[in-house]
């Protein structure tokens, strides 16, 4: 849901509510949870990860996110968490993500009908970022698919897309089985597994003491089953969402807190190596790394080519196609059929930061909540208060040098690493080249900016 769908939204909410007196802040947070339940979740209660109570013990600010109660920040604050991840290592709870196993001898043939990646070419225990597409070439979700040595594909998808992803896979699995009688394919959702991300340049130093074997042999996008701090059957994948070296550890749910405590207590000549971090820092880190947030920067109306994600399409798939929407997508790679818009990076050295549509929606939502609270009538009128949800305005407008609109920002924030404002935007293709001068319309002011290549901050993946 748009209300509980982005950590950038949560950051805006947290910044505003932190300025209020304690009594009003608590009440507004309660109302936020109420409204998010009504519009962002199909249940009356938010789901909790196995680490939920542990987050609370650590002083986390818990907020609704894609139907889950998740930590947006801890006591040190988003900025400190961001900078700590860039300099040392941070522990993120990403257990809300959808984890799947796809079994059977036809698993690769099946999945390649639904994603753009060359899964058949993956070496054993290697994974790839790929895109699940629809018949029109739009992006249903982005996912990591790993070809394991244990006879199944390990798939991780976004939490906000979990229900539709599972429905999509089940639908097309049935179609596949109908078209191929006797085929061998099945899907298993990993409800009893938590997922923990350890990210930062000191990740290996912090993790080494808890694993057997040489982590230097585990390269970027490689995955293995390991015993971690005495906990067997953990799947450790060298990947992440921050641009730093890192791992994601799939661990049995009943031992997730145990593992987290041991990682946070990692000994090192450098004290204070691992600290917890929340969704707020995760969002600003991924933006610096040029990584998309589903629902902001990509969705079912954008194709991989428009999103500047053509590198996700496997070389073999360029020739063979045969995945949903391949006719539309591959056509956009040919001369004369280039898309009208492209996702680009934008940097501004002055002025207020550009924002995507979720942040603008958040401002509108908070204004309504504040007014309603002052009127002491929120609880009885909350449904009417949100009647404008389907009429959300877009993000910051991008202009050319003459003042003509050429695009819209989808994500934006101040970069703590670069000390300047950064953003992602979709612009008319003619303006998509690096170093093109543009303008941003922020708070009725035009701010000079420049189109730039991404990532904004160089990635440090362990290759």
């Amino acid at each position: 849901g748009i209300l509980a769908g982005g950590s950038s939204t949560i950051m805006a909410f947290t910044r505003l509510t932190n300025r209020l007196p304690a009594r009003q802040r608590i009440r507004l947070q309660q109302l936020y949870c109420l409204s998010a339940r009504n519009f962002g979740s199909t249940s009356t209660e938010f789901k909790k990860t196995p680490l939920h109570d542990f987050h609370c013990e650590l002083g986390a600010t818990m907020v609704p996110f894609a139907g889950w109660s998740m930590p947006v920040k801890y006591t040190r604050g988003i900025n400190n968490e961001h900078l700590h991840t860039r300099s040392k290592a941070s522990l993120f709870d990403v257990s809300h993500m959808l984890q799947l196993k796809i079994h059977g001898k036809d698993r690769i043939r099946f999945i390649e009908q639904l994603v753009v990646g060359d899964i058949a070419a993956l070496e054993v225990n290697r994974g790839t970022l790929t895109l699940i597409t629809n018949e029109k070439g739009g992006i249903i979700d982005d996912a990591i698919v790993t070809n394991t040595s244990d006879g199944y594909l390990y798939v991780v998808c976004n939490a906000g897309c979990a229900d539709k992803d599972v429905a999509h896979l089940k639908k097309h699995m049935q179609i596949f089985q109908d078209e191929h009688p006797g085929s061998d394919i099945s899907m298993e959702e990993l409800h009893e597994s938590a997922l923990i991300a350890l990210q930062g340049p000191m990740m290996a130093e912090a993790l080494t003491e808890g694993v057997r074997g040489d982590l230097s042999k585990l390269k970027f996008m490689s995955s293995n089953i390991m015993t971690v701090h005495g906990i067997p059957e953990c799947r450790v994948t060298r990947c992440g969402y921050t641009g730093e070296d890192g791992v994601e550890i799939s661990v049995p749910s009943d031992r997730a807190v145990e593992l987290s405590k041991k990682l946070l207590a990692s000994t090192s000549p450098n004290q204070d190596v691992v600290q917890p971090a929340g969704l707020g820092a995760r969002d600003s880190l991924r933006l610096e790394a040029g990584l998309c947030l589903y629902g902001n920067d990509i969705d079912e109306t954008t194709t991989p080519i428009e999103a500047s994600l053509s590198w996700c399409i496997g070389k073999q798939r360029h020739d063979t196609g045969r995945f949903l929407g391949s006719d539309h997508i591959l056509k956009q790679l040919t001369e004369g059929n280039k898309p009208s818009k492209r996702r680009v990076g934008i940097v501004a050295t002055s002025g207020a930061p550009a924002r995507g549509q979720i942040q603008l929606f958040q401002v509108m939502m908070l204004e309504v909540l504040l007014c309603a609270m002052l009127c002491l009538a929120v609880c009885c009128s909350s449904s009417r208060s949100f009647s404008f949800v389907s009429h959300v305005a877009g993000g910051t407008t991008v202009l050319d040098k003459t003042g003509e609109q050429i695009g819209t920002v989808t994500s934006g924030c101040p970069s703590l690493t670069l000390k300047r404002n950064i953003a992602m935007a979709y612009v008319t293709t003619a303006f998509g080249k690096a170093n093109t001068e543009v303008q941003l319309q922020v708070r009725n002011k035009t701010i000079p900016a420049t189109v730039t290549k991404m990532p904004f901050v160089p990635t440090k993946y362990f290759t």
Side-chain angles (χ1 to χ4, degrees):
I2 198 165
L3 195 59
S7 48
S8 297
T9 311
I10 296 166
M11 290 169 66
F13 173 77
T14 303
R15 283 194 297 269
L16 181 54
T17 56
N18 280 348
R19 301 172 188 169
L20 297 174
R23 191 172 180 179
Q24 292 180 345
R25 182 174 67 250
I26 292 169
R27 179 58 177 152
L28 187 55
Q29 288 172 343
Q30 291 171 339
L31 294 172
Y32 178 87
C33 292
L34 173 65
S35 60
R37 263 207 305 273
N38 291 338
F39 293 95
S41 175
T42 57
S43 64
T44 56
E45 294 294 332
F46 290 110
K47 291 177 280 187
K48 297 178 180 179
T49 76
L51 290 164
H52 181 274
D53 292 347
F54 184 56
H55 296 312
C56 295
E57 291 174 14
L58 294 176
T61 299
M62 305 300 292
V63 296
F65 180 78
W68 293 78
S69 176
M70 297 295 294
V72 67
K73 65 170 186 173
Y74 297 83
T75 55
R76 299 176 70 173
I78 292 172
N79 289 1
N80 284 329
E81 292 169 19
H82 178 111
L83 295 171
H84 189 90
T85 309
R86 290 277 182 248
S87 61
K88 294 184 180 180
S90 294
L91 189 69
F92 298 84
D93 179 11
V94 289
S95 303
H96 58 313
M97 303 284 278
L98 172 67
Q99 298 182 75
L100 299 168
K101 290 180 181 179
I102 299 181
H103 301 273
K105 63 181 177 62
D106 295 309
R107 62 190 181 278
I108 292 178
R109 189 158 60 120
F110 164 70
I111 201 68
E112 283 202 338
Q113 293 187 357
L114 306 181
V115 303
V116 304
D118 193 352
I119 309 304
L122 286 175
E123 297 177 12
V124 172
N125 291 326
R126 294 281 295 181
T128 185
L129 175 68
T130 192
L131 305 170
I132 304 171
T133 50
N134 61 27
E135 290 83 353
K136 295 182 179 180
I139 300 172
I140 292 175
D141 199 4
D142 54 315
I144 292 179
V145 178
T146 301
N147 180 28
T148 75
S149 59
D150 301 304
Y152 61 83
L153 298 175
Y154 172 60
V155 183
V156 179
C157 303
N158 285 301
C161 299
D163 290 343
K164 73 170 182 177
D165 286 353
V166 169
H168 182 74
L169 288 166
K170 286 182 177 179
K171 171 187 173 182
H172 286 279
M173 188 173 293
Q174 185 62 57
I175 293 172
F176 184 90
Q177 291 169 333
D178 291 343
E179 293 178 346
H180 304 90
S183 57
D184 180 19
I185 182 76
S186 64
M187 182 175 68
E188 175 188 1
E189 296 179 54
L190 304 184
H191 296 299
E192 301 303 318
S193 294
L195 193 62
I196 298 168
L198 184 62
Q199 301 284 302
M202 296 180 69
M203 177 280 298
E205 181 177 334
L207 186 60
T208 294
E209 66 183 80
V211 298
R212 295 178 182 177
D214 187 358
L215 279 178
S216 67
K217 295 180 180 179
L218 190 72
K219 304 296 184 181
F220 180 59
M221 297 307 291
S222 295
S223 182
N224 273 314
I225 297 293
M226 298 182 179
T227 296
V228 184
H229 282 291
I231 303 172
E233 297 301 311
C234 293
R235 175 164 291 282
V236 181
T237 305
R238 202 152 196 166
C239 64
Y241 195 49
T242 64
E244 296 290 337
D245 185 19
V247 293
E248 292 185 355
I249 306 172
S250 182
V251 56
S253 296
D254 60 355
R255 305 197 71 176
V257 172
E258 175 189 347
L259 178 57
S260 297
K261 287 181 176 179
K262 289 180 177 179
L263 291 172
L264 289 170
S266 298
T267 59
S268 168
N270 299 288
Q271 297 301 312
D272 195 31
V273 174
V274 182
Q275 288 290 324
L279 293 175
R282 193 165 181 256
D283 190 59
S284 55
L285 289 161
R286 70 90 191 168
L287 184 51
E288 286 188 342
L291 300 173
C292 294
L293 174 64
Y294 192 87
N296 274 42
D297 311 305
I298 52 176
D299 58 30
E300 294 193 36
T301 69
T302 53
T303 70
I305 314 306
E306 292 170 337
S308 299
L309 295 173
S310 57
W311 56 270
C312 289
I313 305 173
K315 293 181 180 179
Q316 189 94 350
R317 312 308 299 280
H318 282 259
D319 299 325
T320 61
R322 293 202 293 273
F323 54 86
L324 284 181
S326 59
D327 290 345
H328 297 276
I329 293 167
L330 298 179
K331 184 178 180 181
Q332 291 185 335
L333 289 171
T334 62
E335 288 298 329
N337 292 293
K338 300 294 184 182
S340 60
K341 62 179 182 179
R342 296 296 289 264
R343 180 178 65 93
V344 300
I346 295 178
V347 173
T349 57
S350 64
R355 299 294 187 183
Q357 65 176 9
I358 285 183
Q359 290 92 338
L360 291 179
F361 173 83
Q362 185 64 38
V363 171
M364 295 165 66
M365 186 197 74
L366 289 174
E367 287 177 351
V368 171
L369 280 175
L370 287 167
C371 290
M373 188 170 70
L374 290 173
C375 294
L376 301 177
V378 172
C379 290
C380 63
S381 61
S382 58
S383 297
R384 293 195 303 274
S385 297
F386 292 92
S387 60
F388 54 80
V389 167
S390 62
H391 304 290
V392 178
T396 296
T397 299
V398 185
L399 311 171
D400 65 14
K401 289 194 293 185
T402 69
E404 291 294 318
Q405 181 172 351
I406 58 169
T408 304
V409 169
T410 55
S411 287
C413 73
S415 167
L416 295 172
T417 306
L418 300 177
K419 303 294 190 293
R420 60 183 66 180
N421 295 326
I422 60 175
M424 287 184 198
Y426 280 86
V427 300
T428 304
T429 300
F431 295 88
K433 292 183 179 179
N435 301 317
T436 300
E437 294 182 2
V438 296
Q439 300 181 90
L440 299 171
Q441 187 75 40
V442 182
R443 300 177 187 171
N444 297 320
K445 296 181 180 179
T446 54
I447 297 171
T450 305
V451 173
T452 186
K453 292 181 179 179
M454 293 183 283
F456 300 98
V457 175
T459 56
K460 301 172 185 175
Y461 303 130
F462 188 75
T463 57

